[in-house]
Amino acid sequence: MAVPEFDFASEEPYDLFIAAGGFEERVLTFTRRANVSKFSIKQAILLRYVTQREDNEPNFNRLMTRVKKFTDNIEIIDVDVRKPDKIMKVLVEKVHSASTSLNIRSAVIDISGMADVLICCCLRAADINRLRTSVVYTEASDYYPREPKWHDIIDVVENEDFEVMAEYLQTAGLEDIQIPTDFKGNNRPGYKACLFVMAGYEPNRVQGLVDDYAPNAIVVFYGKSPHERLHGRQWLSIKLHKYIFGGWRYRERKDISTLEVEKILDILENEYQTLRSEYDVGIASQCSKMQTVASYIFWKQHPEVQLIFTTPVKWESKRYSEGEGQTFLFDL
């Protein structure tokens, strides 16, 4: 089933709204498009990044101003994505505190400005507090790297020129790998490890992930956008990661969506059922935010798997997505 666009004419109320104020333009889109007379919330939790404050703070302030049009009951949480267990603890507490006064016990989470680990922490906090949860997601209108630079970037990556590579990619290398306590899974003694990688456009981070995690096998999923104008980006992702997996036991899948959660889940389930008797599985979503939502749902269905997150040395805010596309709604 295709993910529907959010109906801004709908008057369905929500109790709790959760969003993050990142540097991308699309983090403001939902609150700008929402009609004050129709979109109803009682409380809001806004996440403010403590890292790269100079990049993120302007949009956080704009987000705060817009949310105040819907509610004055706003809780601010400072988040450091390098400390996911702390984020989880605070989120669970704040959502619980908010939920004590909720009537219909529903939450809408705008993931458009969230790092992958934040998405999963927010969804987990809502689940622990037994909220009926919906996700809204605004895509960008344009993504980096841009097509005129594709061959230049591929040449740099194939030559493993990491110093020059940092001038092209969206992040400046891998700083750390996190497996939050809630998502550590249940590794069985004596079983080999298989890493599911949903590859995006940051081979520098994936290289560090694979080297540090050191799995016995890898399944690489190259996402395909539902938009024909973006189909070439799958080819780019394949080219960018080609040199990384050569020394590993791996195979590829090129039929996974970047948006349609149910289809993503079907493919993950198919691969998992094939491998689970021989391997413990970890999932690293490195591409789209909706793939991260799917990986969380998959973890809920199979809590024995691990969810693995990577933190870059720095997000390059001037080489990220631009503009605003469609806004989608997914009910968990």
Side-chain angles (χ1 to χ4, degrees):
M1 180 183 296
V3 179
E5 287 192 65
F6 188 88
D7 181 6
F8 287 100
S10 170
E11 296 187 11
E12 181 177 356
Y14 296 92
D15 281 324
L16 182 63
F17 175 67
I18 305 175
F23 51 74
E24 296 174 88
E25 183 180 353
R26 57 180 166 157
V27 308
L28 304 173
T29 304
F30 181 80
T31 52
R32 180 178 58 78
R33 289 176 176 171
N35 189 321
V36 176
S37 66
K38 295 183 181 295
F39 179 64
S40 172
I41 56 172
K42 290 188 174 181
Q43 302 181 55
I45 294 175
L46 300 184
L47 310 180
R48 178 168 58 193
Y49 292 105
V50 300
T51 52
Q52 294 183 228
R53 183 66 67 88
E54 69 283 359
D55 291 326
N56 295 308
E57 195 71 4
N59 268 358
F60 177 82
N61 291 333
R62 295 183 187 105
L63 180 64
M64 169 75 81
T65 299
R66 293 183 179 186
V67 173
K68 284 181 178 178
K69 296 179 180 179
F70 301 96
T71 180
D72 290 324
N73 192 349
I74 300 173
E75 185 82 43
I76 298 172
I77 301 177
D78 287 338
V79 294
D80 185 343
V81 295
R82 298 166 298 189
K83 301 175 181 179
D85 284 329
K86 181 178 179 181
I87 293 171
M88 183 73 78
K89 181 176 184 295
V90 174
L91 266 172
V92 170
E93 291 173 353
K94 295 298 185 182
V95 173
H96 175 73
S97 177
S99 66
T100 57
S101 61
L102 302 182
N103 294 327
I104 56 179
R105 302 192 61 78
S106 64
V108 58
I109 302 174
D110 184 355
I111 66 170
S112 307
M114 293 187 186
D116 295 324
V117 70
L118 277 189
I119 294 172
C120 292
C121 285
C122 287
L123 294 174
R124 178 65 172 150
D127 278 341
I128 288 173
N129 285 285
R130 299 182 179 181
L131 301 186
R132 179 172 58 85
T133 306
S134 300
V135 163
V136 292
Y137 164 68
T138 300
E139 60 186 1
S141 60
D142 193 15
Y143 292 88
Y144 281 77
R146 287 178 169 162
E147 190 168 355
K149 294 289 186 181
W150 286 1
H151 288 285
D152 292 340
I153 297 168
I154 291 167
D155 288 343
V156 169
V157 169
E158 288 182 347
N159 290 328
E160 298 187 41
D161 191 338
F162 293 100
E163 185 174 340
V164 177
M165 196 185 302
E167 299 176 7
Y168 286 98
L169 301 178
Q170 294 169 303
T171 58
L174 177 69
E175 180 179 74
D176 197 12
I177 295 171
Q178 294 111 1
I179 305 174
T181 301
D182 279 53
F183 304 127
K184 66 180 180 181
N186 182 26
N187 286 349
R188 297 164 293 182
Y191 278 74
K192 295 179 285 187
C194 182
L195 180 63
F196 287 8
V197 180
M198 288 186 262
Y201 310 94
E202 300 168 79
N204 47 351
R205 286 169 72 183
V206 173
Q207 178 75 72
L209 166 65
V210 170
D211 289 345
D212 287 357
Y213 195 77
N216 301 97
I218 302 170
V219 181
V220 190
F221 302 88
Y222 292 109
K224 187 173 184 179
S225 170
H227 304 300
E228 188 173 350
R229 64 184 175 83
L230 296 175
H231 284 180
R233 287 176 60 79
Q234 184 187 57
W235 173 87
L236 173 63
S237 183
I238 293 168
K239 289 292 186 180
L240 290 177
H241 291 86
K242 182 179 179 181
Y243 78 96
I244 292 176
F245 304 113
W248 300 87
R249 182 182 181 186
Y250 85 103
R251 59 191 177 87
E252 302 174 347
R253 290 204 64 160
K254 303 173 186 177
D255 55 347
I256 196 165
S257 173
T258 58
L259 177 67
E260 297 170 335
V261 174
E262 297 295 344
K263 291 182 179 180
I264 298 168
L265 286 170
D266 286 345
I267 289 173
L268 290 177
E269 185 69 31
N270 176 268
E271 289 295 331
Y272 184 62
Q273 294 302 329
T274 300
L275 296 166
R276 65 183 302 178
S277 63
E278 185 177 356
Y279 294 93
D280 289 326
V281 171
I283 303 175
S285 177
Q286 301 287 301
C287 188
S288 76
K289 297 180 190 298
M290 293 301 279
Q291 287 179 340
T292 299
V293 171
S295 71
Y296 172 81
I297 297 172
F298 187 79
W299 169 83
K300 279 185 64 179
Q301 296 169 346
H302 301 285
E304 67 275 12
V305 307
Q306 286 186 340
L307 294 187
I308 304 155
F309 305 93
T310 60
T311 303
V313 175
K314 181 183 179 182
W315 279 273
E316 300 293 348
S317 60
K318 294 181 179 179
R319 292 200 295 271
Y320 246 77
S321 67
E322 290 187 347
E324 308 162 285
Q326 297 167 274
T327 296
F328 298 95
L329 171 71
F330 183 79
D331 295 321
L332 272 73

